[in-house]
């Protein structure tokens, strides 16, 4: 039966979903199987569909018939809805498989509330490695608000040096009291506001997404709503990483989430980066090796500037449909059976290192970093 991938999608709709597979008739030069879901690596045959946000005036239809190449996140974004709402109304989970011809209900799903404008606003100059979701979270506003303020769509590309308008934060009518003091180290609570996501709430409080989900008996498919009170767990202990390493580790995790990479795949990326560069974007290395993963321009990973572009290097390591190198190099998701390999074997299959056994020492630390930061 033909299948389209629902996949593990980040809680903010900035992910790049896997493509639909057409079945045995479809050419599949490289296919990885991740936790029971297909991640197509056929990058040149059928590019992932572009997802654009609908105008605010466009109403979602009652139902939608799935087409080849669709994903739940793409369908939701196309109709101005939240992925979690579409999953819930159809009784699906993040790992559910959808297929061409399947009819999905959309009318009961509630579109994300539009950002409330305010007098306060500003601008932000995009830096290398930035994403719209990361910029929105950093400024405490919704992704849709940033997109709307800059007339961007979900498929728009931002570039270093570009100036983005940052809309003012919505101010609730009751916000006349002075700001509350910082929460104590013990568990605290947070009242959900329109536009919030679990990811943004976790990052705002310096805790992991899994920690917030567990503290509130939620799953990745759970829906949060304005006015809901969430328990915020106490911050976890030190990860042992310094500030630059932590920033790079968060980026590796963020991009992995956006691409739907399973937790084990993200941990392999973290461990590989630690072995190769101490999770630092190095401008030196063995021979012409550079960057987080010490990728070599001479072996096809990109130019010197490209392999030091953190976002590009991370996507190249993960591979799959979003690999910026196309079929020129082979990332983790392109390795047949990588899920059943050992931690070190999977890392070595991508890196082809002279010291393949050294990756194994970072397996436990990598999962600890993922739990603390992701």
């Amino acid at each position: 039966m033909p299948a389209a991938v629902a996949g593990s999608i980040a809680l903010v709709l900035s992910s790049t979903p896997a493509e639909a597979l057409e079945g045995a008739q479809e050419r599949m030069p490289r296919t990885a199987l991740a936790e029971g879901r297909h991640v197509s690596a056929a990058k040149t045959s059928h590019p992932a569909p572009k997802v654009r946000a609908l105008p605010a005036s466009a109403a979602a239809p009652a139902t939608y018939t799935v087409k080849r190449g669709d994903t739940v996140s793409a369908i939701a974004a196309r109709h101005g809805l939240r992925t979690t709402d579409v999953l819930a109304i159809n009784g699906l989970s993040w790992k559910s498989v959808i297929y061409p011809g399947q009819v999905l209900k959309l009318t009961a799903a509630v579109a994300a509330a539009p950002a409330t404008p305010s007098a306060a606003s500003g601008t932000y100059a995009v830096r290398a490695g930035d994403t719209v979701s990361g910029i929105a979270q950093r400024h405490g506003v919704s992704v849709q608000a940033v997109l709307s303020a800059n007339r961007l769509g979900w498929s728009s590309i931002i570039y270093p040096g570009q100036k983005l308008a940052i809309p003012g934060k919505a101010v609730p009518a009751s916000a006349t009291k002075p700001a509350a003091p910082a929460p104590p180290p013990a568990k605290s609570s947070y009242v959900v506001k329109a536009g919030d996501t679990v990811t943004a709430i976790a990052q705002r409080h310096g805790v992991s997404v899994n920690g917030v989900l567990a503290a509130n008996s939620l799953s990745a498919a759970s829906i949060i709503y304005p006015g809901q009170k969430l328990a915020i767990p106490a911050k976890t202990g030190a990860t042992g990483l310094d500030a630059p390493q932590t920033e790079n580790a968060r980026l590796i995790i963020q991009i992995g989430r956006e691409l739907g990479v399973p937790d084990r795949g993200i941990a392999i990326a973290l461990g590989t980066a630690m072995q190769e560069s101490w999770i630092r974007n190095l401008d030196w290395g063995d021979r012409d090796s550079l960057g987080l993963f010490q990728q070599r321009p001479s072996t096809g990973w990109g130019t010197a500037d490209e392999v030091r572009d953190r976002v590009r290097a991370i996507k190249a390591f993960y591979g799959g449909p979003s690999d910026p190198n196309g079929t020129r190099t082979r990332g983790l998701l392109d390795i047949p059976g990588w899920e059943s390999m050992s931690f070190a074997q999977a890392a070595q299959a991508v890196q082809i290192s002279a010291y393949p056994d050294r990756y194994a020492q970072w397996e436990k630390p990598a999962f600890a970093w993922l739990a603390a930061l992701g």
Side-chain angles (χ1 to χ4, degrees):
M1 178 181 290
V5 182
S8 294
I9 309 165
L11 292 174
V12 290
L13 299 179
S14 56
S15 59
T16 304
E19 300 175 27
L21 303 180
E22 187 62 15
Q25 295 80 13
E26 184 66 37
R27 293 196 306 272
M28 301 197 313
R30 298 182 303 186
T31 301
L33 198 61
E35 295 183 357
R37 61 187 185 281
H38 297 286
V39 181
S40 172
K43 305 165 194 160
T44 57
S45 299
H46 302 286
K50 291 186 177 180
V51 182
R52 297 185 183 277
L54 285 181
S57 59
T63 61
Y64 176 82
T65 302
V66 177
K67 300 179 179 63
R68 177 176 160 275
D70 275 339
T71 65
V72 176
S73 63
I75 295 167
R78 194 177 307 143
H79 294 92
L81 306 172
R82 297 190 306 176
T83 303
T84 50
D85 293 336
V86 177
L87 291 172
I89 191 65
N90 290 280
L92 302 174
S93 73
W94 292 95
K95 294 183 180 180
S96 297
V97 175
I98 61 173
Y99 52 87
Q102 180 179 356
V103 177
L104 297 180
K105 292 181 287 186
L106 302 179
T107 50
V110 181
T116 304
S118 69
S121 62
T123 59
Y124 174 81
V126 177
R127 295 193 290 261
D130 274 340
T131 63
V132 175
S133 61
I135 294 168
Q137 290 171 5
R138 197 175 308 145
H139 290 85
V141 296
S142 69
V143 175
Q144 186 59 58
V146 175
L147 292 174
S148 299
N150 294 276
R151 298 182 180 180
L152 301 175
W154 291 98
S155 61
S156 298
I157 297 173
I158 60 174
Y159 52 86
Q162 180 179 359
K163 287 190 177 181
L164 296 181
I166 305 298
K169 296 182 183 179
V171 180
S174 60
T176 56
K177 299 179 181 179
K187 184 185 292 185
S188 59
S189 62
Y190 174 80
V191 178
V192 177
K193 300 179 181 65
D196 272 341
T197 64
V198 175
T199 301
I201 293 168
Q203 291 183 351
R204 196 174 304 147
H205 291 85
V207 297
S208 70
V209 173
N210 288 337
V212 175
L213 293 175
N216 294 277
S217 300
L218 300 175
S219 71
S222 297
I223 297 172
I224 61 173
Y225 52 88
Q228 181 179 0
K229 183 178 286 188
L230 296 181
I232 306 298
K235 292 185 180 180
T236 56
T239 60
L241 304 177
D242 61 23
Q245 288 175 311
T246 298
E247 180 184 357
N248 290 328
R250 286 188 187 279
L251 188 59
I252 291 170
I253 294 169
Q254 174 192 323
I255 292 174
R257 297 283 189 226
E258 291 174 355
L259 299 180
V261 179
D263 281 3
R264 186 167 182 271
I266 296 174
I268 290 170
L270 289 169
T272 301
M274 175 55 82
Q275 174 58 36
E276 296 290 353
S277 68
W278 306 285
I279 321 186
R280 299 185 189 281
N281 195 23
L282 300 179
D283 60 358
W284 57 274
D286 177 50
R287 286 168 283 188
D288 61 337
S289 300
L290 298 167
L292 285 169
F293 297 96
Q294 291 290 280
Q295 295 160 341
R296 297 181 60 191
S298 63
T299 58
W301 286 93
T303 66
D305 287 339
E306 286 174 340
V307 298
R308 291 203 68 235
D309 179 327
R310 296 182 303 163
V311 173
R312 190 185 189 283
I314 293 167
K315 287 184 176 181
F317 177 87
Y318 284 130
S322 297
D323 191 338
N325 289 327
T327 57
R328 193 167 68 247
T329 56
R330 193 170 70 158
L332 181 65
L333 299 180
D334 304 321
I335 308 298
W338 72 268
E339 306 93 332
S340 60
M341 295 179 180
S342 70
F343 188 95
Q345 287 172 340
Q348 171 65 4
V350 179
Q351 297 297 106
I352 317 298
S353 169
Y355 308 99
D357 296 331
R358 293 185 180 181
Y359 299 108
Q361 64 184 313
W362 302 113
E363 182 170 3
K364 287 184 178 179
F367 278 102
W369 300 328
L370 179 59
L373 301 175

